[in-house]
Amino acid sequence: MNKKFHFLDDGGEMGRLMREKNWSSTPLGPPDGWPQSLRTTINILLNSPFPMFLFWGDRLKGFYNDAYRPILGTEGKHPTILGLNGKAAWAEIWEDIKPMLEVVTKKGESIWRENLMIPIFRNGRMEDVYWTFSYSPVKDEEGKVSGVLVIVTETTEAVLAERRLKESERRFREMANLSPVWIWITDKEINIEYANLALLNYVGVENEADFTGQVWVDVVHPDDLDVVFKGFGKAVEDKSDFTLEYRVKRKKTGNYEWFKVLGVPKFEEGEMVGFIGTGMNIDKQKSFADELKREVDIRTKELADSNDKLEAMNKELQSFAYISSHDLQEPLRKIQMFAEVLMENEFDKLSTSGKAKFEKIQNAANRMQSLINDLLSYSRTDTEKRVYEVIDLKELVDDVKNDLAEELKKKHGNITLLQSCEIEVVPFQFRQLMYNLLSNAVKYSKNDVSPNVTINTEIITNAKSVDISLKNIKEYVRITITDNGIGFEEQFAEKIFEVFQRLHSKQEYVGTGIGLAIVKKIVQNHNGVISAKGILNEGSVFEIVMPKMQ
């Protein structure tokens, strides 16, 4: 190429291809014979950063720049269409672009098209491509239109993105309108830009454009307007989320219902442009909550009344305990003392019937004394201060066995502790528990069988499987007391722990019916549980499960 053709200097790849092409073999001839208008236009084209294509002459031969080159893709028209006739270069779309080219070449008019879909062959296949372009006439030295300059931008991605956005918006509106929940969008002044059908139908507005700020004033309960204005106002000021509860009038009924309205700010390029939010009808929940509150208030008052009554009963119980421990015991001791004096000094003077009556008096007084002592023990298990200590169960059992030595000797009985352990208890209470259980085992033995009582202990960690009130995170001790006594029927397994429950008459076995109730209360004081099993005339098993350490 002759270097004097400076209009082809530079121009990147397309400038090089134009310089290297053998134009002599084309109807245009060598560049030195090209008209000045063509040279000037090509020079502008090659140095433009904007995509340009030039159709030149009667055959509309093609020229294009580096900025236009990517539009042609790969495995397509480049570089064969350089200098090629327009009809041959663009055969697949010639019928589409020919009329537009003729408007320019024949009438000398410029045309403009935006986002027009014109498919082209590129990347080895036909592709649907969207273009925004202008066709402008290029006149030669005589003022005749000799070419068409095309300035073009491919807008395929923008068009498809807009379509996707519109489709997304269409789907959003479709789903939102099917939702029973209010869905709304506002601008930053809280003017409604979008409201779904649920919201529009509720407040009686047909078009979103009619949903002005006055609508809220008309439909929000007057007592709640201040809540709404302050809530939205603070959200705008702080550019923050908000949650409000207020009453809104239903257009069809005129009734106000409670709604929970939530909103979050939406931002574009760092600037808050409005809010998007929802509204949910919570009228039933509110009604339920109000009813629940009324019920709670009623139950709280009833509980307070019950507590007052219970406190009064506790005072009465304390009075009773005082009377039992002082006022009742004093005359009872006098009855026992005088009865004993009479039995010692006057017994021989009494008739057989009188002797029997005095023995009954003594027995009744002794039973009365036992009953008073047991009642005091039962009441003290709740009121006395609990001081826990770690004890060795063997020492406590040995102590109780010493107390029961006479009874054991008399009945040829035996108490055996198979395995001891250390356990944290209130010592005097736990001693009473063991005494009551072991003395019962000896007392309720069969006439012809020596009582044999076995005590065993076991550490367990899955206490919840025994009783759901217990916890697996603590170590528990299972204490099992087994005897071979008279037993009891299974139907009485729970009943025997109730106060004054006796399964046998006082003529058969002496007792007050309080001993096992005291045992149960002591176990509960130690955060444990107790259960009993029995087989009539075969024996009983008492099982205590309680924390090893409190």
Side-chain angles (χ1 to χ4, degrees), residues 203-215:
V203 299
V205 174
E206 291 187 6
N207 302 308
E208 294 168 4
D210 300 328
F211 205 141
T212 63
Q214 183 59 40
V215 172

Side-chain angles (χ1 to χ4, degrees), residues 227-294:
V227 172
V228 174
F229 287 140
K230 285 184 177 178
F232 275 88
K234 189 174 189 307
V236 171
E237 183 180 349
D238 298 343
K239 299 179 181 179
S240 62
D241 303 356
F242 65 87
T243 301
L244 301 173
E245 292 184 6
Y246 52 88
R247 288 161 289 182
V248 184
K249 184 193 297 183
R250 185 186 287 273
K251 178 68 174 179
K252 290 182 180 179
T253 63
N255 296 328
Y256 287 96
E257 296 177 358
W258 281 98
F259 279 81
K260 186 172 189 175
V261 177
L262 296 87
V264 295
K266 57 175 183 169
F267 294 87
E268 291 181 5
E269 297 180 356
E271 288 294 320
M272 192 188 81
V273 294
F275 288 87
I276 182 168
T278 61
M280 181 178 294
N281 192 315
I282 59 169
D283 199 65
K284 290 183 179 179
Q285 295 93 313
K286 273 282 188 180
S287 298
F288 175 77
D290 291 342
E291 182 61 29
L292 182 61
K293 184 177 182 301
R294 283 193 293 271

Side-chain angles (χ1 to χ4, degrees), residues 155-438:
T155 58
T156 305
E157 282 302 316
V159 170
L160 295 180
E162 184 178 1
R163 286 186 177 180
R164 287 192 294 268
L165 182 62
K166 288 182 178 179
E167 176 62 16
S168 175
E169 182 178 350
R170 184 193 68 78
R171 290 182 180 178
F172 165 76
R173 287 176 175 266
E174 187 176 85
M175 289 187 295
N177 284 333
L178 292 173
S179 171
V181 175
W182 292 353
I183 299 174
W184 50 267
I185 300 173
T186 74
D187 60 20
K188 60 183 178 182
E189 280 78 34
I190 319 299
N191 297 311
I192 291 292
E193 292 182 339
Y194 170 77
N196 69 340
L197 284 178
L199 175 53
L200 294 175
N201 291 340
Y202 188 91
V203 299
V205 174
E206 291 187 6
N207 302 308
E208 294 168 4
D210 300 328
F211 205 141
T212 63
Q214 183 59 40
V215 172
W216 284 119
V217 176
D218 294 338
V219 299
V220 173
H221 194 287
D223 294 345
D224 298 338
L225 278 173
D226 192 48
V227 172
V228 174
F229 287 140
K230 285 184 177 178
F232 275 88
K234 189 174 189 307
V236 171
E237 183 180 349
D238 298 343
K239 299 179 181 179
S240 62
D241 303 356
F242 65 87
T243 301
L244 301 173
E245 292 184 6
Y246 52 88
R247 288 161 289 182
V248 184
K249 184 193 297 183
R250 185 186 287 273
K251 178 68 174 179
K252 290 182 180 179
T253 63
N255 296 328
Y256 287 96
E257 296 177 358
W258 281 98
F259 279 81
K260 186 172 189 175
V261 177
L262 296 87
V264 295
K266 57 175 183 169
F267 294 87
E268 291 181 5
E269 297 180 356
E271 288 294 320
M272 192 188 81
V273 294
F275 288 87
I276 182 168
T278 61
M280 181 178 294
N281 192 315
I282 59 169
D283 199 65
K284 290 183 179 179
Q285 295 93 313
K286 273 282 188 180
S287 298
F288 175 77
D290 291 342
E291 182 61 29
L292 182 61
K293 184 177 182 301
R294 283 193 293 271
E295 287 292 327
V296 169
D297 290 342
I298 292 171
R299 295 293 178 265
T300 301
K301 186 177 183 306
E302 290 177 351
L303 181 60
D305 293 342
S306 297
N307 285 339
D308 291 341
K309 291 178 181 178
L310 184 59
E311 188 174 347
M313 291 174 64
N314 283 336
K315 289 180 179 178
E316 290 179 4
L317 182 59
Q318 291 174 6
S319 299
F320 167 76
Y322 180 84
I323 292 171
S324 297
S325 61
H326 296 85
D327 298 352
L328 283 179
Q329 296 212 53
E330 181 58 29
L332 181 60
R333 279 195 292 269
K334 288 183 179 178
I335 291 172
Q336 290 174 312
M337 181 184 69
F338 287 125
E340 186 176 340
V341 170
L342 286 172
M343 289 293 286
E344 289 179 358
N345 299 331
E346 307 293 336
F347 188 75
D348 293 337
K349 299 176 182 179
L350 297 174
S351 64
T352 302
S353 175
K355 292 177 181 178
K357 287 182 174 62
F358 266 102
E359 287 178 349
K360 288 183 180 181
I361 290 173
Q362 272 193 317
N363 290 336
N366 290 335
R367 286 199 303 276
M368 183 67 166
Q369 183 69 59
S370 296
L371 179 60
I372 290 172
N373 290 338
D374 284 349
L375 283 172
L376 286 173
S377 296
Y378 186 77
S379 66
R380 277 199 297 265
T381 55
D382 269 339
T383 58
E384 287 183 337
K385 184 178 179 181
R386 299 170 197 170
V387 179
Y388 293 96
E389 295 180 18
V390 176
I391 64 162
D392 189 323
L393 186 62
K394 181 179 183 306
E395 294 179 4
L396 188 143
V397 171
D398 288 343
D399 191 25
V400 174
K401 284 169 64 175
N402 288 333
D403 287 351
L404 297 173
E406 290 298 322
E407 288 86 343
L408 289 170
K409 182 178 180 181
K410 181 179 178 182
K411 292 192 173 186
H412 304 289
N414 185 49
I415 296 175
T416 305
L417 175 63
L418 298 179
Q419 184 173 331
S420 181
C421 70
E422 288 189 340
I423 185 169
E424 189 176 22
V425 296
V426 180
F428 77 89
Q429 283 193 8
F430 207 71
R431 185 188 185 286
Q432 185 172 23
L433 176 149
M434 293 303 296
Y435 181 87
N436 287 2
L437 288 176
L438 296 179

Side-chain angles (χ1 to χ4, degrees), residues 388-391 393 421-426 430 458-461 463-464 466-467 469-479 522-530 544-550:
Y388 293 96
E389 295 180 18
V390 176
I391 64 162
L393 186 62
C421 70
E422 288 189 340
I423 185 169
E424 189 176 22
V425 296
V426 180
F430 207 71
E458 176 189 5
I459 304 298
I460 59 173
T461 55
K464 192 173 279 292
V466 177
D467 190 283
S469 66
L470 305 180
K471 302 174 183 177
N472 286 341
I473 59 174
K474 299 184 74 171
E475 269 192 341
Y476 283 76
V477 176
R478 191 204 312 265
I479 302 173
I522 292 173
V523 172
Q524 290 173 341
N525 288 348
H526 286 75
N527 304 305
V529 294
I530 184 169
I544 300 166
V545 178
M546 54 185 285
K548 188 174 188 295
M549 294 294 166
Q550 295 295 327

